[in-house]
Amino acid sequence: MRTHLGLSLVTALLLAACAAPADGTEDATESGEDALSASKFAGAYTSYGAEWKDGLVFSLVLRTDKTFAMTVRGQYGCGHYGGYVCPETWSDGRTGWTDVGGSWKVSGTKLSLQPTGDGAKADPLAMTIGLNGDKAEVDGTIKPNRNIHATMDVDALFSAKHSVKDADLDGTWKVSTPDGSSSQPMLSGSMMSVTGDQVHTITFDKAKKSWTESRSGDPKPRKPLVTAYTVAGNGAGTGAGVIFLDNGRGSFDTVKIESAADDKLTLVVAGDRKIILDRQ
């Protein structure tokens, strides 16, 4: 999960396909256990490791409720237009990144992102998006003519196929690592050191779409940085799926489900670390 210069990242609900309305704009509908979206683009995208040049789209999430969150390198609309936030550190001032949030709609491969929030009304952002397996090309313009762009990794697609469902995670799981290490990565990307006879557990609550972590000896469960979860697919629509974790404002994380059984999950977290969840 990204943390740059003291910032945390930018989302959602499980998707599936449905017919687009006659005007070409795709809207959400209800079917099955979760909200569904006609748009195959609804998902989470990042460009970790890319060169930090102004205009880089560092992260983008297009949620099924038609809200979006995006982090862009550079400063845009700071302190003036609603929906634009330019984070600062306590000592250095603005960090050179802009977080943008609001609503989105799509027609074909063209997105219209409407920033919303306190401040003057912002113009919509026009963006094109193209999917190619686990990569996405995004290109857009922030008025008057400032280009934003990136070749992004497709971290999660909510309409893509996956075998694990939200309900399969419901309950409490004991956390361990394949190598027996006591240093266990948390799902939100940071580290929890478990020593001696302490037990690290994760509880998923399907009804609330939330999750918490705790370890024996803690006075209460630890509140994760990102608190909502759903299971989505990867860019190829193959395998067990991806756990998508979202705080609803801008921070998100994705965790690959490497293997799944009724009582055991093997997850890849923090890029390349593995943890094992055993159902309690």
Side-chain angles (χ1 to χ4, degrees), residues 54 69 118 144 172 185 233 261 266 271:
D54 280 5
D118 295 336
T172 298
T266 300

Side-chain angles (χ1 to χ4, degrees), residues 17 20 56 60 65 76 138 255 279:
L56 171 72
L60 172 67
D65 64 0
Y76 306 85
V138 299
V255 177
R279 186 180 291 280

